Amino acid sequence: MSETTVYVPRDATALSLGAEDVAAAIAAEAGRRGESIRLVRNGSRGMFWIEPLVEVDVKGTRVAYGPVAGKDVARLFDAGFLAGGRHRLRLGPVEEIPYLKKQERLTFARVGVTDPLSIDDYRAHGGFRGLEKALGMAPGDVVQAVADSGLRGRGGAAFPTGIKWKTAADAPAGQKYVVCNADEGDSGTFADRMLIEGDPYCLIEGMTIAGLAVGATQGYVYLRIEYPHAQRVLEAAITQASRQGWLGGNIHGSGQSFHLHLRMAAGAYICGEETSMLESLEGKRGQIRYKPPLPAIKGLFGQPTVINNVITFASVPIILDRGAAFYAGHGAGRSRGTCTFQLAGNVKHGGLVEKAFGITLRELIDDYGGGTANGRPVRAVQVGGPLGAYIAPSQFDTALDYEAFAKIGGMIGHGGLVVFDDRVDMAAQARYAMEFCAIESCGKCTPCRIGSVRGVEVIDRIRAGIEREKNVVLLRDLCRTMLDGSLCALGGMAPFPVLSALDHFSEDFDKPPRRAAGRAARAVS
Amino acid sequence: MKVKPRTLAAPVALPPHDPGADLKPEIRDAVLDVSGRLGRLPGALLPVLHGVQQTLGYIPSESVGLIANRLNLSRAEVHGVISFYHFFRTEKPGERVIYLCRAEACQANGCAALETHAKKRLGVDYHQTTADGRYTLEPVYCLGNCACGPSLMIDGELHSRVTAKRFDRLLGIGAAAKESTS
């Protein structure tokens, strides 16, 4: 009998839910029964409520079973799952699961599909085709293709990638750099982690294309220390790619060079800010730099540097491979292509949803997310990380494109959506936003360093019912100062969650007795 | 007039400056080994500090002088970097470091209750080590496991949907430790 391929994810979230036990149990059980299997440790499909998600290749169709625990394995074998047999955990062909089927996976096309570290598998699924095309193009044409695709920075700032690359390409210098910002610090986001763990060559390919386009021969990935699984995968992938000639002094026999290095961060949220990250890469405190000069002109070690987020770089190979027009054919308004939304917090069907821009929050939270995990009503959703506004259900019909969302005072950021149920205390959330800013401020500018501490104090006074009206005015004034006076987005955006909580959930800022009464009233209504 | 040429006193032989002379051998060896391997990287300080912390579990304050010397930096620069980053520690941690996520996505799933339980169970606050030296409790702002919170990481392993009971079981403490692990 020919061997059957069985997939068990090695994604960090899948592992945290017991995927290692499942993989070991499947290997042991197959050995015991004399079944010939090939166990592939893939990335995650991004449907975390059914992780660990085991897939079996049945005549070319991948049949899914999940969530599987180690103790289910023997019964799965009894049910003939290696031939796609019936079992209560059987979910059918994985690509027919509506959550996945309805998505538009461009950047994440291979995540969960391939063996992350197999270059053969990567190439069999279209990998390195973008790089091969780029090697045959003039650097200026590569930059133009990225510009034409309409790709904008997926890290949060949404700056047009083509313009950034052109600036760096035009800057004369002996040494230029490409830096990938993989310091994914926003709560509610895990797309960078999933991509690195599930398809690391895609990031390597995107960065190499950037190097060719702007004339940079050195690249760095700045990865969070909180992601040890991603670190191991990326280290192995860089070694493999170098060994097989996809990185190094002679990329795929072209005579061009690009050397990639992995650097680990050290737990400072601010180092996700690009200039702060550069300081950190240079071995310094992660204090932000004044801009200008732009990093594209004077960046790492004072040289022209292209800095993009993981998802931005990982979107480049498909743009080169399928063409700028294909990519730009997705999306809405000036937000072209797809966005990797991450459903997080108290949500029934948490995971990764890659969709073209223009989808509404309601579709994401209700249709994909299925509401809260515990069935209580959704009260608020924080979009775009700890510096993003809290959105009330009355605003859920807003389309998620950069401009439309900005109109309601929100920002898409890195695409994280954190769902809260009706028990959330929004004044406590506002306090946390200020507290977080105080903990993570780099200390360079006063509005952020001092303002955040004062913000916590003022919110404490409001919550204690001390001169509430006066202190609310003071808090709004403080927020204004931070918004206008901070040097970077940390102090400059920390007021967004605070102000949105004040605007939409002001009842939570009332004195404690009234707040309790308000919650009770909501619970009965 | 004849001037008698002045004879110079023989130079006093100063001992070569060794900022690591007073260090415990294991600390000195760790710093010299790591700085020898990584010290020439561009912007080497973070990789070197990671290396020292990985070897020793922390970056002893007394090693700052030697690290600075090996990298041709000032002590202030090295100290400034260590103190800036939350991950670096200058005190020896417990045998196991527990990283408990307290960011928004975990808050939405009730991490505040877990936080209270963990502090009570261990009898320490954040950044502290239990009296028996077994556990250090650290807050962390996101482990990238945001759809399955509350999350924690211990010994480099990530755990999802951590309840108070599961916390005890993971640590092997309290009544829950006697139950079978799932």
Side-chain angles (χ1 to χ4, degrees):
Chain A
M1 196 183 137
S2 64
E3 64 176 12
T4 311
T5 307
V6 179
Y7 298 85
V8 182
R10 195 178 263 151
D11 172 272
T13 292
L15 291 177
S16 78
L17 294 164
E20 201 58 51
D21 286 353
V22 174
I26 289 176
E29 196 66 30
R32 206 169 297 139
R33 294 174 188 237
E35 299 272 9
S36 167
I37 62 162
R38 185 171 76 98
L39 195 59
V40 174
R41 305 303 302 273
N42 55 337
S44 171
R45 298 275 188 168
M47 299 182 283
F48 293 134
W49 75 101
I50 48 175
E51 287 285 3
L53 181 72
V54 176
E55 295 172 39
V56 183
D57 189 329
V58 183
K59 294 179 192 132
T61 303
R62 284 166 69 156
V63 179
Y65 295 84
V68 178
K71 61 178 164 44
D72 298 321
V73 168
R75 279 197 207 108
L76 280 169
F77 274 88
D78 289 343
F81 89 121
L82 291 180
R86 289 166 64 92
H87 186 275
R88 68 184 166 83
L89 296 176
R90 189 180 191 275
L91 300 163
V94 67
E95 283 172 5
E96 296 300 316
I97 296 173
Y99 194 88
L100 199 56
K101 193 179 182 180
K102 288 188 292 176
Q103 297 191 29
E104 294 157 277
R105 291 216 165 172
L106 305 183
T107 308
F108 269 66
R110 277 175 300 265
V111 176
V113 177
T114 55
D115 176 350
L117 287 173
S118 161
I119 288 186
D120 291 342
D121 218 4
Y122 183 65
R123 295 194 73 185
H125 288 83
F128 287 130
R129 282 210 302 250
L131 176 56
E132 283 173 320
K133 285 208 178 142
L135 284 167
M137 292 163 72
D141 293 341
V142 176
V143 174
Q144 195 56 48
V146 171
D148 291 343
S149 74
L151 179 65
R152 290 163 71 179
R154 297 286 187 257
F159 187 82
T161 307
I163 294 176
K164 191 184 274 185
W165 286 22
K166 187 164 186 344
T167 310
D170 290 346
Q175 179 66 58
K176 297 180 191 177
Y177 295 96
V178 173
V179 175
C180 173
N181 185 343
D183 196 28
E184 186 177 50
D186 290 354
S187 177
T189 64
F190 41 79
D192 295 356
R193 179 184 66 67
M194 278 184 67
L195 188 113
I196 292 173
E197 290 176 7
D199 195 17
Y201 297 121
C202 186
L203 171 62
I204 292 173
E205 184 180 354
M207 290 185 72
T208 308
I209 294 170
L212 296 171
V214 306
T217 54
Q218 296 283 341
Y220 286 91
V221 178
Y222 186 81
L223 178 67
R224 317 184 62 210
I225 191 73
E226 292 85 351
Y227 286 180
H229 305 84
Q231 180 187 0
R232 284 195 289 274
V233 174
L234 194 54
E235 273 169 359
I238 290 173
T239 307
Q240 285 285 340
S242 305
R243 225 176 256 162
Q244 299 198 24
W246 291 101
L247 279 175
N250 183 14
I251 303 163
H252 200 42
S254 66
Q256 309 238 46
S257 66
F258 187 69
H259 302 270
L260 189 57
H261 315 275
L262 175 60
R263 284 290 173 87
M264 297 311 292
Y269 177 77
I270 189 63
C271 290
E273 199 280 338
E274 60 178 6
T275 61
S276 188
M277 178 181 65
L278 294 177
E279 291 286 300
S280 186
L281 280 170
E282 292 181 7
K284 301 174 193 157
R285 292 163 68 88
Q287 287 196 299
I288 70 147
R289 295 177 182 172
Y290 291 99
K291 285 195 273 192
L294 295 169
I297 292 165
K298 205 163 178 282
L300 187 62
F301 303 115
Q303 301 298 313
T305 304
V306 164
I307 304 167
N308 281 126
N309 167 256
V310 175
I311 303 301
T312 315
F313 281 126
S315 301
V316 169
I318 197 167
I319 291 170
L320 270 289
D321 179 24
R322 306 282 297 269
F326 167 78
Y327 191 80
H330 298 76
R334 284 174 48 223
S335 308
R336 307 316 308 175
T338 56
C339 187
T340 48
F341 298 104
Q342 298 129 81
L343 302 184
N346 185 353
V347 61
K348 194 171 175 193
H349 297 155
L352 185 123
V353 179
E354 183 174 354
K355 277 297 274 183
F357 286 98
I359 188 173
T360 65
L361 259 182
R362 196 176 299 284
E363 288 174 79
L364 279 173
I365 292 159
D366 292 347
D367 300 353
Y368 282 92
T372 60
N374 53 10
R376 299 185 75 99
V378 175
R379 179 144 188 254
V381 176
Q382 188 177 29
V383 183
L387 310 177
Y390 284 97
I391 309 293
S394 60
Q395 302 168 295
F396 281 3
D397 290 313
T398 312
L400 281 155
D401 84 50
Y402 292 122
E403 279 69 36
F405 212 62
K407 270 188 204 144
I408 64 161
M411 62 136 190
I412 295 177
H414 189 43
L417 276 62
V418 178
V419 180
F420 291 84
D421 70 18
D422 60 342
R423 292 172 303 175
V424 64
D425 176 350
M426 294 305 297
Q429 295 307 122
R431 183 190 192 278
Y432 174 80
M434 285 292 189
E435 185 195 358
F436 182 72
C437 182
I439 294 169
E440 298 295 340
S441 175
C442 83
K444 187 151 178 162
C445 72
T446 317
C448 174
R449 184 184 68 242
I450 308 285
S452 54
V453 177
R454 295 290 171 263
V456 172
E457 294 165 359
V458 175
I459 295 172
D460 280 344
R461 283 201 289 276
I462 294 170
R463 295 179 78 202
I466 302 165
E467 296 185 284
R468 183 176 178 273
E469 278 71 26
K470 262 168 91 177
N471 276 309
V472 167
V473 172
L474 188 62
L475 179 61
R476 286 185 181 278
D477 187 55
L478 175 68
C479 284
R480 189 80 256 159
T481 306
M482 290 175 71
L483 283 168
D484 294 339
S486 300
L487 273 174
C488 83
L490 180 55
M493 290 171 66
F496 286 151
V498 178
L499 290 171
S500 60
L502 264 179
D503 289 340
H504 301 296
F505 308 94
S506 65
E507 65 273 23
D508 285 15
F509 291 80
D510 292 351
K511 283 187 288 187
R514 271 174 70 192
R515 196 164 67 229
R519 256 208 305 278
R522 272 198 310 281
V524 293
S525 67
Chain B
M1 198 173 91
K2 212 173 174 186
V3 180
K4 198 181 167 189
R6 248 175 64 194
T7 51
L8 289 171
V12 179
L14 284 167
H17 176 60
D18 182 355
D22 300 333
L23 292 177
K24 283 189 198 153
E26 70 264 27
I27 294 176
R28 186 185 154 92
D29 291 351
V31 172
L32 293 179
D33 168 57
V34 171
S35 58
R37 281 188 290 117
L38 306 172
R40 299 180 76 86
L41 291 173
L45 185 51
L46 264 78
V48 166
L49 294 177
H50 273 302
V52 172
Q53 181 153 314
Q54 204 163 26
T55 312
L56 300 172
Y58 69 118
I59 305 164
S61 305
E62 63 269 28
S63 71
V64 168
L66 184 59
I67 294 172
N69 174 276
R70 299 322 297 161
L71 300 183
N72 201 20
L73 297 169
S74 71
R75 296 169 64 108
E77 283 168 310
V78 176
H79 173 77
V81 167
I82 295 172
S83 60
F84 183 87
Y85 295 95
H86 303 303
F87 184 74
F88 295 136
R89 60 176 80 249
T90 51
E91 302 282 332
K92 196 177 168 77
E95 288 160 37
R96 304 174 78 185
V97 183
I98 304 160
Y99 291 97
L100 198 68
C101 180
R102 62 178 301 245
E104 291 90 337
C106 283
Q107 290 167 17
N109 284 317
C111 75
L114 177 66
E115 191 173 80
T116 311
H117 172 80
K119 288 181 182 177
K120 203 175 129 203
R121 177 60 90 196
L122 297 171
V124 295
D125 204 341
Y126 282 131
H127 312 299
Q128 292 178 350
T129 301
T130 53
D132 60 5
R134 290 190 65 193
Y135 302 103
T136 298
L137 186 65
E138 291 286 351
V140 64
Y141 297 90
C142 198
L143 293 164
N145 193 37
C146 312
C148 304
S151 308
L152 69 77
M153 194 179 274
I154 181 163
D155 306 329
E157 281 197 40
L158 187 60
H159 299 277
S160 286
R161 298 171 191 147
V162 183
T163 56
K165 208 166 140 184
R166 198 162 139 70
F167 178 87
D168 291 355
R169 208 159 52 205
L170 283 170
L171 268 56
I173 52 176
K178 295 188 189 77
E179 294 172 26
S180 64
T181 54
S182 63

